[in-house]
Amino acid sequence: MSDNESLTPRVFIIRHGETEWAKLGRQTGKTDIGLTVLGAAQVHSAASHLVGKGRLLDPNKLARIFVSPRKRAQDTLAGLLGDHLHGLREWGVEVTTTEDVAEWDYGDYEGLLLSEIREGRKKRGLDGEGVVWNVWRDGCEGGEVKEQVTERLDRVISSIRDIQGPCMRGEKPADVLVVAHGVILRAFVMRWLGYPLEMPLNMMLAPGSVGVLSYKNNNVEEPAFHIGMALPVES
């Protein structure tokens, strides 16, 4: 990583650890379900390897945290930052709990498997031959459509750019942490790059995993994502 890149503010996106429904493949939106034992361990592992002074996610460089109100996200934030979280609040780092980064509202599809959703839609004549349900394009009956998700994510991204725009060369700490859910974070990446949600872009984000977004050329008008990022070198 060049010196310029090391100064450019970053956005860390963290998916909550495993839950029972995630393990089973059930669509989990508003249902407030906690982490499994493995899910908590995933978060602890991420914290032990990545969080700390001079590490990839350095609490001293954080300016803002956005977190979903769901328990699985709240517990992930607490497990990830541990004692750092209390210190950050004392130092004036705002921790914003907001529905704007809550999981996609699945409405009538809540708790269903992907196969069950597609079979039900076909029976109701919503999907024709060779057409299968795609949340990015079709949204959810009784839940959210892509326009609603786009609107709320764009609000968060606009707030982040306001924070980071004046700090493109390390003028002050400006990293941002977003702790949320698998589908909404993939949607977040799409909107960060300025793409419509329905544009095909296959992405994977495992439970407890970390993604990094930033900007090219120290320019807030050139949002980008790291497909590979060098870890900090210990001094």
Side-chain angles (χ1 to χ4, degrees):
M1 183 187 301
S2 70
D3 289 341
N4 281 344
E5 286 177 329
S6 69
L7 296 175
T8 309
R10 294 164 296 179
V11 178
F12 297 95
I13 57 171
I14 314 289
R15 182 183 174 185
H16 63 75
E18 180 194 76
T19 67
E20 284 294 340
W21 277 20
K23 182 169 66 174
L24 296 171
R26 298 194 176 279
Q27 308 302 308
T28 318
K30 290 187 172 181
T31 302
D32 215 4
I33 188 170
L35 302 178
T36 62
V37 172
L38 175 59
Q42 290 167 336
V43 175
H44 176 75
S45 178
S48 64
H49 286 89
L50 301 177
V51 179
K53 185 177 180 180
R55 293 186 175 181
L56 180 66
L57 203 172
D58 187 336
N60 294 323
K61 296 182 178 181
L62 284 174
R64 186 78 174 271
I65 298 170
F66 294 91
V67 57
S68 163
R70 304 296 170 259
K71 176 175 172 55
R72 55 198 185 273
Q74 294 284 323
D75 289 351
T76 295
L77 174 61
L80 185 74
L81 292 184
D83 293 339
H84 295 295
L85 190 57
H86 178 69
L88 286 167
R89 287 191 168 105
E90 285 193 335
W91 300 335
V93 175
E94 186 175 349
V95 180
T96 302
T97 296
T98 173
E99 291 284 347
D100 280 349
V101 295
E103 183 58 294
W104 198 302
D105 182 354
Y106 292 111
D108 299 345
Y109 304 158
E110 184 78 4
L112 298 182
L113 301 173
L114 180 61
S115 59
E116 293 172 332
I117 296 170
R118 288 176 171 171
E119 182 180 351
R121 286 178 60 91
K122 188 173 182 179
K123 286 181 179 178
R124 295 191 299 278
L126 295 174
D127 296 331
E129 192 66 32
V131 177
V132 294
W133 174 71
N134 180 310
V135 67
W136 313 100
R137 180 190 66 227
D138 305 320
C140 302
E141 295 175 87
E144 285 185 301
V145 294
K146 61 181 184 292
E147 290 82 5
Q148 293 169 301
V149 172
T150 295
E151 181 180 1
R152 60 184 173 96
L153 290 179
D154 284 357
R155 277 196 298 267
V156 176
I157 291 170
S158 178
S159 295
I160 292 172
R161 301 244 167 97
D162 286 344
I163 293 166
Q164 296 184 331
C167 306
M168 285 290 109
R169 297 184 182 276
E171 288 83 352
K172 63 179 181 179
D175 285 350
V176 171
L177 172 63
V178 181
V179 183
H181 313 268
V183 172
I184 207 65
L185 286 175
R186 281 178 277 166
F188 185 93
V189 172
M190 297 287 284
R191 294 308 303 151
W192 182 263
L193 299 173
Y195 298 149
L197 297 189
E198 65 271 26
M199 191 191 87
L201 181 62
N202 290 334
M203 290 177 282
M204 299 173 67
L205 191 65
S209 62
V210 181
V212 186
L213 307 172
S214 189
Y215 309 88
K216 290 178 61 181
N217 304 315
N218 303 94
N219 186 352
V220 74
E221 301 299 329
E222 296 186 61
F225 67 94
H226 286 278
I227 59 171
M229 185 171 185
L231 297 178
V233 177
E234 295 184 9
S235 56

